[in-house]
Amino acid sequence: MSASDEKILKLVEKLSITDKKLDEDELTSILTKTYALCRVPALQEPNVPYSASDFQGVASEAEINLSIIWKLVDSVCLAKSRHGQQFSNAFLKYILVTCLLAACEYNDEDYEWSSPAAARTSKKIMGKLSELFDCSNVADLVHSKGDSSGTQSSDNIENLIGKDNRQDFMKPTLQKLSEMLNKDNWKMYPSLKMSYWWILRNIGKDDLGEHLVHLLPPALFIVDDWEAKNKLLGLKCLHHILENTVGSELRWYGRSSVIYDALKPLLHTREPEILSNLYPTIIKVAKVVEADPAKTGKLQHNSTLDFIMQQLVQEMAHEQKLSLREVYAAALPLLLPALNLYAVRWSKELLDVCGDYLATFEGPAAQDRINILKALQSYVKASWPQVHRHALPLMKMVVRLLYDVTEEDSGVEAESVQVIAQEAQDLVVLLHAAAPNTVQELCQGLQDVVVHPQCQLLLQDLCATTLKEA
């Protein structure tokens, strides 16, 4: 029997004596030593991409130490529930912080340093912590304002941790994580960034803004890394923060501007996966920046959204790589509604690139073309006072597209043709609503144009739609 096995057997035997009052100092000492043994070791070369081979044997050793931690929390639960032992607030907070951080490091078996057994034990620890603090589940455990288990759970936790407000429930954990996870050493301890990501995703939406002082910095230095997988993680973290924090809190202390400045250089990347995560995130934060009340009523020459639009149309105009064109086409319908009426500034550039994308075959699914049609719908909605000036090129794009995709050798799937036809019709309806006389004039005789039958039917539908909307 190994020394580790003897250690766990002796501990289990000692903690199983439930009629004996547990000693907080002894438990704290055991937990401190076990947590130190449990942590994922530092990388020897932090600036070199790591793999599972760098963590051989870590998961098996961790599973033993995680089992000790689970048994320790279980013994505290039993002492509290069966024998009514009262524990100090400081001890309970230490239990929560240490055990939760230990479990977070291994809670996903797909981590290079974890395993199915270690992940199962980690989840058992989280479940036992939920039991200790009278929470119905792990989600309620990390929601400092959680309401999933009702007022009773909130009262129980307040009684356990102290009389201070439940808003402080996660502060000790985040403070401890911030001490360990900083700009200088985060690459040495890859498990800490995943612990941070897990906590970030599980903190309640109502709580996230109050904890930004701890939660925002890691996302910023992770996204600034040269390694693609770290950039992606940082983008996911920032997007989650933006989606779950109100704009006013993001603008405090210039946080939204800091996020925008951190993301801005990534607009020049050539990696499709990064760009597909970047555009929704940077558009979201740009909207927050532009919503600053200080800018209300002021006509701006240039904005953060204009800069993004400028970069996007430039990249779209010269891009030949299909994977990148796909990303750009998907970003355009997100950006135009954010620009709103200011989209009219980009009419020429926009119509040029949209015409090119609609005329280019990129695959049987034709998703780029569908996205461009959605983008043009947003453009018409946003710039309707001036859109009559561009009704002719827009109608030409629609007619040419319908002709192309309905040819026998178009290579476009039948389902995609149906979607394109519907999106094209929706575009013409919006265009007609903005410039009815112009569109009706352009549609005159369109139904009589001699083309192949399927295209003729679609053109007849367009003409009928404009007449019906008149």
Side-chain angles (χ1 to χ4, degrees), residues 63-314:
E63 201 275 327
I64 296 173
N65 290 299
L66 287 168
S67 297
I68 297 175
I69 292 175
W70 175 84
K71 182 59 186 176
L72 187 149
V73 181
D74 181 56
S75 67
V76 174
C77 285
L78 290 173
K80 168 183 166 286
S81 60
R82 293 185 183 179
H83 305 289
Q85 182 173 347
Q86 297 295 316
F87 296 96
S88 68
N89 296 333
F91 174 72
L92 289 168
K93 283 187 177 182
Y94 183 75
I95 286 278
L96 172 66
V97 172
T98 307
C99 296
L100 184 60
L101 289 178
C104 283
E105 290 199 46
Y106 297 91
N107 77 91
D108 190 331
E109 64 182 71
D110 292 329
Y111 295 160
E112 289 84 349
W113 50 85
S114 188
S115 67
R120 283 193 300 271
T121 309
S122 295
K123 290 178 172 60
K124 285 173 61 179
I125 292 172
M126 291 182 179
K128 193 58 68 174
L129 286 172
S130 300
E131 179 184 337
L132 176 61
F133 292 100
D134 294 333
C135 296
S136 59
N137 50 48
V138 176
D140 190 51
L141 178 68
V142 296
H143 288 191
S144 60
K145 289 183 181 177
D147 56 4
S148 59
S149 56
T151 306
Q152 183 178 359
S153 174
S154 300
D155 294 340
N156 288 335
I157 293 175
E158 287 179 7
N159 291 334
L160 279 169
I161 298 184
K163 296 181 180 179
D164 42 319
N165 194 296
R166 279 203 73 200
Q167 295 177 14
D168 297 331
F169 184 51
M170 280 302 294
K171 278 187 179 179
T173 304
L174 294 175
Q175 287 170 348
K176 180 64 176 178
L177 182 61
S178 296
E179 293 172 6
M180 298 188 297
L181 181 69
N182 57 63
K183 190 174 182 178
D184 296 326
N185 71 356
W186 72 273
K187 294 202 73 173
M188 294 177 60
Y189 300 97
S191 61
L192 292 180
K193 70 182 179 184
M194 303 314 298
S195 297
Y196 158 75
W197 174 226
W198 185 90
I199 292 172
L200 176 64
R201 282 179 295 152
N202 285 276
I203 283 184
K205 183 175 182 178
D206 294 335
D207 310 323
L208 201 150
E210 298 177 15
H211 297 305
L212 279 181
V213 66
H214 298 299
L215 294 173
L216 182 56
L220 292 172
F221 58 66
I222 291 173
V223 82
D224 190 44
D225 191 53
W226 63 269
E227 199 172 347
K229 70 177 181 180
N230 287 326
K231 286 185 184 296
L232 288 171
L233 177 61
L235 284 169
K236 290 176 182 178
C237 293
L238 288 172
H239 190 266
H240 183 84
I241 289 171
L242 292 166
E243 284 290 320
N244 293 280
T245 311
V246 297
S248 58
E249 289 182 319
L250 289 168
R251 285 189 292 271
W252 290 347
Y253 314 110
R255 288 165 174 162
S256 57
S257 296
V258 170
I259 296 173
Y260 174 78
D261 290 339
L263 296 178
K264 190 176 174 181
L266 297 183
L267 289 170
H268 302 288
T269 188
R270 299 280 298 167
E271 299 178 59
E273 190 176 7
I274 290 177
L275 284 172
S276 63
N277 285 273
L278 170 65
Y279 277 112
T281 308
I282 196 170
I283 291 170
K284 179 74 175 177
V285 74
K287 289 167 63 177
V288 174
V289 171
E290 295 306 318
D292 190 338
K295 299 183 179 182
T296 302
K298 297 179 181 179
L299 184 62
Q300 302 177 69
H301 178 65
N302 283 308
S303 69
T304 53
L305 289 165
D306 282 306
F307 180 82
I308 298 170
M309 185 66 175
Q310 181 182 19
Q311 295 296 311
L312 181 57
V313 294
Q314 285 179 355

Side-chain angles (χ1 to χ4, degrees), residues 382-394:
S383 59
W384 64 267
Q386 294 291 322
V387 81
H388 63 278
R389 298 174 180 267
H390 308 288
L392 178 58
L394 285 169

Side-chain angles (χ1 to χ4, degrees), residues 336-390:
L336 286 169
L339 277 166
N340 203 3
L341 186 57
Y342 291 112
V344 75
R345 293 173 172 174
W346 302 96
S347 296
K348 182 183 183 304
E349 296 89 342
L350 178 66
L351 295 180
D352 286 345
V353 296
C354 287
D356 172 52
Y357 275 57
L358 290 178
T360 303
F361 174 79
E362 86 281 7
Q367 189 58 53
D368 291 1
R369 288 167 158 175
I370 293 170
N371 285 331
I372 293 298
L373 287 173
K374 291 181 181 294
L376 289 173
Q377 291 171 20
S378 297
Y379 168 73
V380 172
K381 290 178 184 177
S383 59
W384 64 267
Q386 294 291 322
V387 81
H388 63 278
R389 298 174 180 267
H390 308 288

Side-chain angles (χ1 to χ4, degrees), residues 377 419-431 462 465:
Q377 291 171 20
V419 175
I420 288 173
Q422 184 60 57
E423 296 294 343
Q425 188 176 70
D426 292 344
L427 173 59
V428 173
V429 168
L430 291 170
L431 191 58
L462 284 184
T465 297

